[in-house]
Amino acid sequence: MVHKLKKPNMDLSIVVPLYNEEESIKELYDWIQRVVSPLNWSYEVIFVDDGSTDTSWTVIEELKREAAPVKGIRFRRNYGKSAGLYCGFEAAQGDVVITMDADLQDSPDEIPELTRMVKEEGYDIVSGWKKKRYDPIGKTLPSKLFNRTVRMVSGIKLHDFNCGLKAYRNEVVKNIEVYGEMHRYIPLIAKQAGFKRIGEKVVQHQERKYGVSKFGIERTIKGFLDLLSVTFIAKFGKRPMHLFGALGTLMFAVGFLTALGLGASKLWYVYHNVAARLLTDSPYFYISLVSMVIGTQLFLAGFLAEMVARNGHERNNYHISQRID
Ligand code: UDP
Ligand code: MG
């Protein structure tokens, strides 16, 4: 996906990742159409069926048969929401790309204003903020903590990183790569790719009408681990030696200097005929040994990581936004 800057030829793409949402799809589509068709825009609704085991795909096929501006992508198995978004982004042709959940928790009524903010106010991304949220407390509380942490780590002032309802400029979705469970960090990934105009809009939120939530409490733990990777990779992914090499050298130096000091003092005692205790009786002896060993290990880890990064196919992957020849 990265680097293929296909010229968009449509006003709006709406990407909807879904997994077992058979009851909601038709209702969601009708609602989208009620909102968007009076605007006279060219648009498409891309449903990405993430390996549903219910009749979701049949519903999408039926919608398509009504000559609707519907596109469908069906995974053979369940890959997760990020995978759905990735493929939806790859297919999206609209100048503005909007993502929303399929479960009717996100309101299509927000589409016109979100689109306007991207088109006219020049935002790269506008992220929804479910200010008043209709979810169980077991979900809203961890979410608050989660958002605070991501705000601190990323420096992006958003209240609701994981909101499914977001709007993007086409160029943004073609230049970011969402994988694993990274859909929670799209604003952060976009910022790392150089898209800095990130806005926020308070959006309506509903209780889930049909079906069940696809994410449990374990998402909080996975979410924090993913935050570590996403920040770590951005910072040191292309220059691991700067981290491991520095730490390794530092530890080795500390160990080496301690050992040197110990040796010198021992020599001094021997020279002056003072009865000194054995070096191996001193805790500093062991500390210096361990420190030198760990230092060497860290340095080696950094060196190996550097060799891997050097050969990685992404090593010279830059996002070029303009060029004059
Ligand atoms: N989803 C998906 N693949 C998955 C899990 C979820 O495409 O493996 C979709 C799901 O169908 C919904 C959206 O992602 O459209 C958000 O999921 P859900 O409503 O369960 O999350 P919650 O609202 O509980 O955060
Ligand atoms: Mg939901």
Side-chain angles (χ1 to χ4, degrees):
M1 174 166 78
V2 176
H3 271 326
K4 265 186 271 160
L5 290 178
K6 205 162 51 173
K7 188 93 195 88
N9 52 12
M10 211 180 262
D11 293 317
L12 179 67
S13 299
I14 299 166
V15 174
V16 185
L18 62 101
Y19 178 53
N20 291 344
E21 308 278 6
E22 56 186 0
E23 304 102 320
S24 314
I25 298 169
K26 174 93 174 75
E27 207 170 312
L28 176 73
Y29 177 72
D30 290 343
W31 191 357
I32 290 177
Q33 195 142 45
R34 268 204 311 282
V35 175
V36 178
S37 57
L39 300 169
N40 273 327
W41 291 342
S42 52
Y43 72 102
E44 60 185 354
V45 183
I46 304 174
F47 287 107
V48 189
D49 179 353
D50 183 12
S52 296
T53 48
D54 63 0
T55 62
S56 292
W57 182 250
T58 323
V59 180
I60 296 167
E61 280 179 327
E62 270 162 26
L63 282 178
K64 181 73 197 173
R65 233 172 278 130
E66 295 169 17
V70 166
K71 288 178 186 161
I73 298 170
R74 185 187 195 182
F75 289 164
R76 195 168 296 281
R77 69 170 184 85
N78 179 246
Y79 285 104
K81 190 176 176 185
S82 292
L85 288 175
Y86 177 88
C87 290
F89 285 164
E90 207 173 33
Q93 290 178 291
D95 290 329
V96 176
V97 180
I98 288 189
T99 60
M100 58 193 308
D101 291 354
D103 55 0
L104 295 165
Q105 290 198 276
D106 299 330
S107 161
D109 291 335
E110 309 286 352
I111 293 174
E113 177 60 14
L114 284 171
T115 310
R116 193 195 64 76
M117 286 174 81
V118 173
K119 270 202 161 138
E120 289 170 23
E121 292 182 27
Y123 283 112
D124 294 318
I125 297 184
V126 181
S127 182
W129 173 13
K130 302 170 294 228
K131 199 167 180 182
K132 176 115 190 56
R133 219 180 139 171
Y134 297 87
D135 273 323
I137 182 106
K139 195 177 259 184
T140 52
L141 213 61
S143 158
K144 281 217 173 90
L145 179 72
F146 167 82
N147 279 302
R148 177 165 306 179
T149 315
V150 186
R151 251 199 315 277
M152 255 167 45
V153 172
S154 68
I156 303 172
K157 301 273 167 288
L158 287 182
H159 292 88
D160 191 0
F161 280 83
N162 194 16
C163 186
L165 184 54
K166 287 187 173 61
Y168 308 82
R169 225 150 41 78
N170 187 287
E171 193 193 343
V172 179
V173 303
K174 301 293 181 192
N175 279 286
I176 57 174
E177 205 158 338
V178 200
Y179 68 94
E181 307 244 324
M182 296 297 180
H183 57 268
R184 300 187 182 92
Y185 302 106
I186 297 184
L188 179 50
I189 295 171
K191 186 184 168 197
Q192 287 166 355
F195 299 104
K196 299 210 176 82
R197 281 164 298 180
I198 299 171
E200 185 166 55
K201 177 185 186 306
V202 175
V203 294
Q204 283 293 326
H205 189 239
Q206 272 85 227
E207 232 167 284
R208 194 180 240 284
K209 201 164 164 186
Y210 310 104
V212 290
S213 171
K214 310 299 182 297
F215 295 101
I217 186 73
E218 81 285 352
R219 78 159 123 197
T220 320
I221 300 156
K222 288 189 195 160
F224 283 115
L225 290 176
D226 282 347
L227 179 62
L228 281 184
S229 339
V230 91
T231 46
F232 186 85
I233 289 173
K235 219 162 173 184
F236 298 109
K238 287 194 174 146
R239 46 187 183 91
M241 199 56 177
H242 287 193
L243 178 69
F244 294 110
L247 278 179
T249 312
L250 192 74
M251 289 220 64
F252 187 87
V254 167
F256 187 73
L257 290 178
T258 314
L260 211 63
L262 283 173
S265 68
K266 179 76 183 182
L267 285 178
W268 189 87
Y269 286 134
V270 171
Y271 186 72
H272 289 90
N273 276 326
V274 183
R277 58 180 184 171
L278 288 172
L279 272 189
T280 47
D281 286 343
S282 161
Y284 293 111
F285 176 74
Y286 298 100
I287 292 174
S288 71
L289 272 188
V290 170
S291 183
M292 280 192 284
V293 171
I294 294 179
T296 315
Q297 293 283 344
L298 279 173
F299 191 88
L300 272 178
F303 188 67
L304 289 177
E306 192 74 30
M307 301 297 269
V308 174
R310 217 171 225 272
N311 290 304
H313 64 99
E314 296 234 317
R315 68 183 177 275
N316 266 333
N317 193 356
Y318 313 111
H319 302 304
I320 297 169
S321 64
Q322 272 167 328
R323 198 193 280 278
I324 299 177
D325 287 318

